[in-house]
Amino acid sequence: MSIQKVWGSVRGDASHLEEQYDKIYRYCYFKLRQRELAEDITQETFLRCFSQGGCQGNVYELRYLYTVARNLCIDEYRKKKALLLQGEEVIEDIGAEERMLSGVALKIALSELEEEERELLLLRYVNEVPVGVICKIWKISRYALYRKVQKALRKLETALED
Amino acid sequence: MRIGKERKRELEKAFEAPKPMNKKAFLAQLPKAQIGYREFMFYQIAYMPKRVWLISASIFGISLYGAWFMQRSMIWAISAMMPFAALTVTTENARSAAYGMEELEMAARFSLRSIVLARLGVLGIFHLLLLILLVCVGNRDNAYTLLQSGIYLTVPYLATTFFGLAVSRKVHGKEAIYICMGIAVTVSGFYGIAGRTIEIAYQSAYFGWWLAAFFAFALGLASEYHKIIRQTEELAWNL
């Protein structure tokens, strides 16, 4: 197991930082479905982590990055809801949904999962966030996480078979 | 239920997001946290091989044992152990060159110069603390003054470090480590044999010579450190 996985953190050199940026951006995009907004939130996440001591030296704490990104995305949901209540139009990235969920059977199968399950698969298998870090972000036990992952994978396989 | 590599790749594609627009510009502007010198030295501890600490601790442990249970005449034996502690410093200095990583490490973000200085500093402080402990323990029966005990034990350490650093500065590759080992064995053997046969050397009348040797090696060592810094700077410019 690499040091990165043990510490749940990532070295702050250029390639690692870029990789981490891409992962956080992908996560934000998954949450918000708007390219520019997702990028703004990603950058805000890094800046907040930096200013609030979420990085030591040039090492960014994974848990901190994902928690800040998640909270910022939730804030955006709330803002969006408030705007919708006021009757204002929210401009969405046209075709974003199609880009995310079009074509392949897997994308259709994914759309049948719950939002939380999709998020879990993204974090665990696409962004490769260590189990311990996800447990801390979601504030659940390892066992509970294991159950959720297994349930999501079973549902995905069933949807693919159908 | 496990997920296969193929399914993982498909998932990556399914969750693919459009390319970010301002990534490069943002990352270029992202403030970089400055690392303090103390913090940098602390980080270096983790990167030093465990055997360096183990060897140092073992040598000083054996010396402490000797100093605690043996008689005053054991000072020569304890001082004969010191070159091996100094060997850990010189081999640590020559490690990058021995594995052909010198030039690469010089071009890294934390240059070889700062890394070598930090590691030698950390190891030096560690040895100094152990040496102080050793001098205090070895001086229990007041056979010598604290200063005398300190000088008798430090001179072989300084001599080995001085010759070892001089060699590792001039000789590159694994040969440097072998020569450093040879120096440590020679200095240790000299103190082991001469300390036994010329016990008169440890008498107070000759303490002036010891002091002179101490200052000579200390100055030589400082000069070696300075030369090592200059050498790594010159090589860095040649890259």
Side-chain angles (χ1 to χ4, degrees), chain A residues 18 21-22 25-26 29 35 39 43 50 57-58 60 100 106 110 118 125 128 150 153 157 160, chain B residues 1 3 7-8 10-12 14-18 20-24 26-27 30-33 109:
Chain A
E18 268 194 42
Y21 183 96
D22 286 339
Y25 167 70
R26 189 191 285 143
Y29 184 77
R35 180 199 287 206
E39 197 158 10
Q43 295 181 359
F50 181 82
N58 277 331
Y60 281 85
M100 285 290 282
L106 180 70
L110 275 172
R118 281 200 295 267
Y125 297 113
E128 293 178 326
Q150 292 303 310
L153 286 177
E157 288 304 320
L160 279 168
Chain B
M1 184 177 259
I3 193 164
R7 183 51 48 79
K8 217 172 161 183
E10 284 172 8
L11 271 175
E12 274 172 28
F15 282 107
E16 203 175 355
M21 307 288 281
N22 306 314
K23 183 175 80 173
K24 296 263 179 209
F26 173 75
L27 290 180
L30 189 67
K32 306 259 183 318
R109 184 169 162 239

Side-chain angles (χ1 to χ4, degrees), chain B residues 13-163:
Chain B
K13 276 185 190 166
F15 282 107
E16 203 175 355
K19 283 209 178 309
M21 307 288 281
N22 306 314
K23 183 175 80 173
K24 296 263 179 209
F26 173 75
L27 290 180
Q29 287 175 348
L30 189 67
K32 306 259 183 318
Q34 293 295 313
I35 189 167
Y37 192 68
R38 203 183 302 168
E39 206 178 3
F40 178 63
M41 281 180 85
F42 186 73
Y43 277 134
Q44 286 306 313
I45 294 172
Y47 287 103
M48 284 164 74
K50 286 189 187 72
R51 64 171 182 273
V52 170
W53 302 107
L54 278 174
I55 291 169
S56 299
S58 308
I59 290 166
F60 279 97
I62 295 167
S63 307
L64 271 174
Y65 177 82
W68 186 265
F69 291 105
M70 305 293 173
Q71 300 302 310
R72 56 173 286 187
S73 56
M74 284 307 288
I75 190 85
W76 62 268
I78 297 165
S79 57
M81 299 282 286
M82 291 300 108
F84 295 106
L87 183 64
T88 58
V89 177
T90 51
T91 50
E92 189 58 29
N93 180 50
R95 195 151 63 100
S96 297
Y99 294 102
M101 295 296 287
E102 209 173 12
E103 286 193 42
L104 187 70
E105 287 186 23
M106 277 179 204
R109 184 169 162 239
F110 294 112
S111 73
L112 180 65
R113 184 182 62 150
S114 44
I115 286 174
V116 164
L117 281 178
R119 287 185 186 184
L120 293 187
V122 166
L123 214 49
I125 291 168
F126 179 62
H127 285 172
L128 182 70
L129 291 174
L130 292 178
L131 210 58
I132 290 169
L133 181 70
L134 192 60
V135 169
C136 294
V137 171
N139 206 54
R140 274 181 320 136
D141 60 355
N142 293 321
Y144 301 107
T145 63
L146 266 179
L147 180 69
Q148 273 179 314
S149 301
I151 296 290
Y152 291 151
L153 292 176
T154 320
V155 168
Y157 180 90
L158 290 178
T160 313
T161 318
F162 166 69
F163 290 123

